[in-house]
Amino acid sequence: MYFVAFGVFVFVAQGSVYGETMERSACSRFKSTPLESILSFPASSEFQNEQSGAGGYWSNNERDVTPACRLTPTTSHQVAVVVAKLARSRCKFAVRGGGHMFWAGAANIEDGVTIDLSHMIQISVSQDQTITAVGPGARWQDVYAELDPMDLSIVGGRAGSVGVSGLTLGAELLGGNSYFAPRYGIACDGVASYKVVLANGQTVIASPAHHPDLYKALRGGGNNFGIVTQFNFRTFQQRKIWAGFIFHPSSTALENLQRLQDFNTASGTGVDNYATNNQVHQWDANGRSLIINIVVYTKPETDPPILRPFTALHPQLSNDLRITNLSDIVKEGTPTNRQRNAWASFSFANNATILAQVLEFADEAFAPIQNITGFNAFCSFQPITKEIIGHMRLNYGVGYNDADDDEQVYAISKALFEKVEAYTRSQGQHEDFMYMNYALPTQQVIASYGKENVDFLRTVSRRYDRRQVFQQLVPGGFKLYAAPGGNL
């Protein structure tokens, strides 16, 4: 099976009270309190850095959303006090972890209050080296840099600048793909427990032993249940890895796709669960430009047989495979972004013919926008093997510069998703699952988990958030009642 994703933007409407927004009034009430030290307003340099500077959002779609104020807590207690105050005043707010989600309003809110967790970046390993505690504002490159010197690791992200919280919470029952997924499952599988601030300001530990229903819901449940202020990851021994990027000309597309199908089939039989490959097809203003195979083997062994079909495929434009560590390879996999973005998400069976047809649909869709300023696009096929699901995905997106192009890019992204979905359904190859972190904001992500899971998530939400704060006051993200039959 494969999963596909591309993203777009959405803007949030505001309410007002006696000529002043409720949210601006709430911001004012944090002044002259112990929380004033973590409060910033749009005119301040601290606010601007967290909005659009070095510590800012990854996508320009999110940078263009300006909250009335920002609160940047450093402790769980501060988060609890802030959430309780905002809930009591029925003030709309957003929650930001690493700030890597691409669509406007996902982790920011126009004229509302943004709780910015980017200063909660603690990383600590237990004395017996079995648990690594990570703050919600940490990024994967920092986590691996801490663990690599100790020959340790955890199941986590593949791009260094991505935040820990968004990836880990980002897809129901399938939260966060990883280079370790064939061995240990995905990121949410690696979480032993969560420290969670609930809507009433109470802080609880969710684990298989304590609040197990909340623990299950947080395994990819997004921002629907509370604010996680600490992730406790199971930690394992890990030596160096063999990894790198192989660049091929786009003329090798059919050969690459067939080899990807064969790899996914072999990997699914358990031939070698140390190997992963993510295949990216890229476009520029002239059409398809190149293909990248991101090859990772989580042992320090060169050119293992399961990955040889990719290393042996020529011509190659470049190849930097080497023995290295995880913190090095995730830096290479981290795109710097000062653009707008539009992505979407869907899944389908492991079939090279289907993959080739998706690329042809993308050729047709991207052609009308290839001349817009800053255009670039990609289609990333990400195999999800049976081992990963038990313990695939395809992702494509468009980058561009100008907000004036939002409407056109959004429409093309939506049309492409609908065309691919209709085709894969007609071929009996479609899978309902959508990966939250790559999804178009109008997609029915929660519904794609199936009725039983949706009903479970709603039950957990009502149990831990009786006033439905995270459904009604946090408009960003994918809400539980946006699914069919979802009236509150």
Side-chain angles (χ1 to χ4, degrees):
M1 184 177 84
Y2 290 90
F3 163 85
V4 184
F6 58 82
V8 298
F9 70 99
V10 36
F11 294 94
V12 181
Q14 304 300 312
S16 63
V17 179
Y18 302 114
E20 179 184 30
T21 65
M22 184 184 299
E23 289 73 21
R24 289 186 182 276
S25 176
C27 290
S28 298
R29 287 197 291 272
F30 286 110
K31 292 181 177 179
S32 302
T33 74
L35 295 174
E36 186 172 20
S37 62
I38 64 169
L39 175 68
S40 63
F41 291 90
S44 72
S45 58
E46 180 182 8
F47 182 103
Q48 289 301 319
N49 179 62
E50 292 162 353
Q51 178 80 5
S52 57
Y57 290 91
W58 180 76
S59 174
N60 277 351
N61 306 61
E62 279 280 64
R63 293 191 193 104
D64 286 353
V65 177
T66 305
C69 67
R70 186 181 302 276
L71 289 150
T72 311
T74 58
T75 67
S76 292
H77 175 70
Q78 288 177 335
V79 174
V81 174
V82 169
V83 169
K85 285 180 177 291
L86 294 177
R88 282 196 299 269
S89 64
R90 303 302 290 175
C91 171
K92 289 189 176 183
F93 63 98
V95 184
R96 175 203 174 182
H100 203 272
M101 192 62 172
F102 47 85
W103 52 272
N108 207 359
I109 183 167
E110 186 68 29
D111 207 32
V113 177
T114 293
I115 302 174
D116 189 331
L117 307 176
S118 62
H119 289 195
M120 299 182 70
I121 57 174
Q122 67 274 15
I123 303 165
S124 62
V125 180
S126 64
Q127 188 171 358
D128 64 2
Q129 298 189 333
T130 62
I131 296 292
T132 300
V134 183
R139 300 171 189 268
W140 290 108
Q141 60 199 16
D142 303 317
V143 175
Y144 299 139
E146 184 77 17
L147 297 178
D148 279 345
M150 293 184 277
D151 290 332
L152 299 174
S153 199
I154 61 177
V155 180
R158 300 164 298 172
S161 65
V162 169
V164 168
S165 57
L167 179 122
T168 308
L169 298 171
E172 171 61 21
L173 307 180
L174 194 57
N177 207 350
S178 169
Y179 294 132
F180 298 116
R183 291 164 57 195
Y184 297 113
I186 48 201
C188 61
D189 290 318
V191 180
S193 64
Y194 306 83
K195 188 174 186 179
V196 192
V197 172
L198 302 178
N200 62 2
Q202 180 185 4
T203 300
V204 300
I205 301 296
S207 72
H210 303 281
H211 306 290
D213 52 351
L214 180 60
Y215 172 79
K216 180 180 177 180
L218 288 168
R219 289 167 50 83
N223 63 358
N224 286 298
F225 307 98
I227 299 178
V228 177
T229 58
Q230 182 172 297
F231 297 84
N232 296 312
F233 287 95
R234 299 181 186 92
T235 305
F236 50 86
Q237 296 291 316
Q238 176 61 43
R239 297 178 294 161
K240 288 191 174 184
I241 64 176
W242 180 72
F245 287 36
I246 308 173
F247 288 73
H248 299 274
S250 59
S251 58
T252 63
L254 294 181
E255 297 148 289
N256 262 294
L257 294 175
Q258 185 59 56
R259 292 176 190 223
L260 187 64
Q261 176 188 313
D262 295 343
F263 166 78
N264 200 25
T265 300
S267 182
T269 63
V271 169
D272 191 334
N273 62 6
Y274 288 84
T276 62
N277 183 52
N278 176 19
Q279 189 172 109
V280 183
H281 297 248
Q282 293 193 338
W283 283 256
D284 61 20
N286 298 313
R288 286 195 225 177
S289 54
L290 54 85
I291 300 166
I292 309 170
N293 280 298
I294 305 172
V295 174
V296 175
Y297 195 67
T298 55
K299 283 183 178 179
E301 298 178 9
T302 301
D303 205 19
I306 193 171
L307 292 169
R308 208 161 289 160
F310 302 108
T311 61
L313 179 59
H314 290 273
Q316 296 181 4
L317 304 175
S318 68
N319 179 332
D320 68 355
L321 285 161
R322 72 273 190 193
I323 301 293
T324 185
N325 56 34
L326 205 55
S327 54
D328 176 49
I329 199 65
V330 300
K331 288 179 183 176
E332 185 173 3
T334 299
T336 56
N337 190 44
R338 287 294 183 269
Q339 285 196 298
R340 306 183 74 77
N341 295 273
W343 297 18
S345 161
F346 54 95
S347 308
F348 47 78
N350 180 39
N351 184 310
T353 301
I354 296 292
L355 304 186
Q357 184 60 63
V358 168
L359 293 181
E360 291 188 18
F361 288 152
D363 286 335
E364 297 169 6
F366 296 152
I369 58 173
Q370 284 174 195
N371 291 326
I372 66 175
T373 305
F375 170 82
N376 64 90
F378 68 89
C379 183
S380 170
F381 296 103
Q382 303 181 32
I384 309 296
T385 66
K386 293 179 181 178
E387 279 70 24
I388 296 174
I389 293 175
H391 247 93
M392 123 184 322
R393 126 185 121 205
L394 175 108
N395 157 36
Y396 74 83
V398 178
Y400 58 105
N401 290 355
D402 296 336
D404 289 345
D405 294 318
D406 280 342
E407 184 175 351
Q408 183 183 15
V409 174
Y410 175 93
I412 283 173
S413 298
K414 183 173 183 291
L416 177 54
F417 163 74
E418 291 171 348
K419 189 169 188 177
V420 172
E421 180 179 17
Y423 172 71
T424 55
R425 285 189 185 279
S426 73
Q427 300 300 306
Q429 303 289 297
H430 181 76
E431 301 286 346
D432 287 335
F433 173 74
M434 299 175 188
Y435 181 58
M436 181 183 290
N437 286 342
Y438 294 155
L440 198 71
T442 53
Q443 287 183 261
Q444 296 290 335
V445 172
I446 301 296
S448 78
Y449 304 157
K451 183 179 185 303
E452 182 178 348
N453 283 322
V454 172
D455 289 345
F456 167 76
L457 293 173
R458 291 174 179 170
T459 297
V460 174
S461 172
R462 290 191 293 269
R463 182 173 298 147
Y464 290 92
D465 183 5
R466 293 183 179 181
R467 298 181 68 195
Q468 293 292 277
V469 168
F470 286 95
Q471 301 306 306
Q472 297 177 351
L473 301 183
V474 184
F478 294 92
K479 304 286 95 175
L480 301 180
Y481 294 88
N487 293 328
L488 277 171

